Amino acid sequence: MRVLVIGSDGLSPILVEKWIETLPALRKIKKQGIMGRTIPPLPAQTPVAWTTFMTGVNPGKHGIFSFMTREKGTYKRKVNTPDKIKTKTLWKILSEHDKKVGVINVPMARTEELNGFIIPGFLAKNEGIPYPTKIKEKLQGKFGIKQFKGDVEIKLLERVKEEPDKFFERVDEITDIQMDISLFLLEEEEWDFFITVFMGTDRIQHFFWKYVDERHPEYEKNEFTEKVKRYYQKMDVIISRFLENIDLEETLFILLSDHGFCPVHSEVLVNCLLHKQGFLKGDVKGEIDVEGSVAVAYEYGDVWLNLKGREPQGKIKPEEYGEILQKIKKNLEKIEVDGQKVVKYVATRDVYWGPYVEEAPDLIILFNSGWQASRGKSKEYKTQKCIVKSEKWNGGHDGTHDPRDVPGILAILGHGIPEGLEVEANLYDLTPTILKILQVPIPNYMDGKPIQQIFTS
Amino acid sequence: MTEEKTKSKNFTSILIPTSLYKKLEEKVKETEFSSVSSLVTHIIREYLAKLEEEKEVFSEEEEEEIKERLRALGYID
Ligand SMILES: [Zn+2]
């Protein structure tokens, strides 16, 4: 048996369901195979989610809790790049069992010695540089490129509002190149496991979600609705191209996304709330006094306490820790705007298990769909209003939201797969599932379990 | 294709000092490896993996660069 995985970052099962009549490949999978959902980890952020997928464990074991976290024993923020992942990747395990692998543009997948090849993805140091060199030369020979980055350039992302057409065009272009490269390597290389992850769906939806989700208070159907839909149709064509190029008798086909999306209309300045509640104070320069405050929040609603013995200038005694944690949690959970609750709940580190739990934030605020922690204004704490309209983005998943409010998609087609079945799986179930299909032993430390429905016949 | 042919196509020999080979021959008994060849293959794979991993660690400067990109993307403040 072989396994082919097509990833689509942020592909939403809600939109697939809504547009299924215009998506023939997905309609076929729904009828002849499994169509279901993946539940992302907490937080449902791209780097955390893909790492969870590729390691088969929760963040307490792989150590990636967000884009950025605090470096232990300091107030310094570090970017969680792939070199900081603490557990083995699916493709490493497969390589060690002499399976041939091909890995293209998976976020958080870095160059490593494999029995096969890799083109590292988003956040990897060598993003887009094929490894080993043999693959680089092949791509250069065929397409004339030394590097493939599967993401839209910053310049275009900064001007999406002003020049939406240019943005959509570039996303299409990158998607086409990735499809060509992937199909070429699929044909050219030997593989037991092959994965390629497309980023377009995520980038598009952050900016254009309000045109496709009726739940958004500013929902508006216009040309952008059509543009997003057209991109879903493009992904559907890509899926059909891959299906044409494999033999379903001997290859299992999996389509998955790391999370879906929910509406975002307002942003919460968490530090402004902490300031009003007396947990945060400013310094003489008018900036947040991280060392002098009881608690500070960052871009994703992650709250960090200033604990004696842990932080260099700790303010809270260890015996006060639990009480203060609960106080902040209660205060945040109370917040309402026009009778609507802003915060769904505030999670503590108890949601994680494993050796790296203490690298997690002390609290993670899970916002109700519609709200998210402010990114651009996360350092503002003195403003009158702590909740403002979201200007840049109108769709989200990582702000932080309840993983169950932003599920990803999971579609499976292949020999012996039950027809018309709906399945829900945690993202960390995928690695054990794929190992089992390829008859490689599942390591004991893994949190995920193989998706049973696949193995019924 | 016969076993032999597959073997000759996928494997090659390298030279190491006999004394070192003898040492490894002793060591191999204490490991899960069935032969010196498979132990040496494992050691070389680990070595190559380590080289790759070292290349993947970010310098201060590179970390700043990636922060800039995340800022531009609007992912961090
Ligand atoms: Zn994502």
Side-chain angles (χ1 to χ4, degrees), chain A residues 5-187:
Chain A
V5 178
I6 303 298
S8 179
D9 202 294
L11 187 87
S12 161
I14 300 169
L15 295 188
V16 168
E17 190 57 37
K18 182 165 148 175
W19 293 330
I20 192 83
E21 288 312 315
T22 66
L23 307 169
L26 282 159
R27 204 168 60 230
K28 177 183 161 177
I29 299 176
K30 190 181 174 184
K31 204 163 161 243
Q32 299 176 4
I34 289 175
M35 182 64 85
R37 295 179 172 205
T38 53
I39 305 300
L42 179 66
Q45 289 174 15
T46 297
V48 188
W50 286 110
T51 306
T52 300
F53 155 77
M54 69 174 81
T55 58
V57 297
N58 88 95
K61 290 184 189 170
H62 64 57
I64 305 296
F65 293 93
S66 184
F67 276 101
M68 286 180 92
T69 44
R70 207 174 249 189
E71 210 164 276
K72 232 175 137 187
T74 71
Y75 298 105
K76 210 183 141 214
R77 299 279 286 172
K78 59 165 183 184
V79 185
N80 288 313
T81 43
D83 51 304
K84 301 190 175 76
I85 300 173
K86 305 293 203 305
T87 35
K88 275 184 193 170
T89 58
L90 167 62
W91 24 100
K92 185 72 181 174
I93 298 170
L94 290 172
S95 293
E96 287 173 351
H97 285 82
D98 293 322
K99 299 288 182 191
K100 281 257 175 196
V101 300
V103 181
I104 302 174
N105 201 42
V106 184
M108 293 299 277
R110 62 177 173 84
T111 317
E112 55 182 331
E113 200 53 41
L114 298 170
N115 184 25
F117 70 90
I118 182 160
I119 304 180
F122 183 50
L123 292 175
K125 188 170 145 176
N126 296 319
E127 182 180 348
I129 301 172
Y131 183 85
T133 318
K134 188 187 80 176
I135 299 296
K136 194 155 81 177
E137 284 161 1
K138 270 190 188 177
L139 290 182
Q140 197 164 4
K142 175 82 182 171
F143 301 98
I145 51 169
K146 283 183 193 158
Q147 193 176 14
F148 170 72
K149 280 197 188 182
D151 204 355
V152 181
E153 294 77 5
I154 293 172
K155 272 189 188 141
L156 285 169
L157 286 171
E158 283 173 332
R159 294 188 55 78
V160 175
K161 271 215 173 112
E162 293 81 8
E163 295 176 303
D165 289 348
K166 267 195 184 161
F167 166 75
F168 276 104
E169 257 168 50
R170 184 66 183 141
V171 176
D172 276 356
E173 207 171 76
I174 293 169
T175 307
D176 288 337
I177 298 170
Q178 186 171 343
M179 180 182 72
D180 291 344
I181 288 176
S182 301
L183 285 171
F184 170 70
L185 291 172
L186 189 83
E187 187 65 35

Side-chain angles (χ1 to χ4, degrees), chain A residues 369-409:
Chain A
S369 156
W371 284 274
Q372 72 174 19
S374 175
R375 310 271 160 83
K377 297 186 176 111
S378 75
K379 287 173 185 158
E380 290 182 20
Y381 68 94
K382 282 189 290 193
T383 30
Q384 191 61 33
K385 286 178 76 183
C386 297
I387 299 178
V388 297
K389 191 177 173 322
S390 174
E391 297 292 344
K392 187 170 181 181
W393 289 350
N394 53 59
H397 54 87
D398 49 3
T400 291
H401 297 104
D402 185 339
R404 295 209 157 260
D405 290 341
V406 288
I409 198 162

Side-chain angles (χ1 to χ4, degrees), chain B residues 26-50:
Chain B
E26 276 309 301
K27 283 281 169 217
V28 106
K29 291 174 194 160
E30 302 159 18
T31 69
E32 55 182 304
F33 297 99
S34 55
S35 65
V36 173
S37 290
S38 53
L39 174 59
V40 169
T41 303
H42 172 77
I43 293 167
I44 294 170
R45 274 198 184 138
E46 289 289 295
Y47 171 73
L48 288 172
K50 237 189 118 218

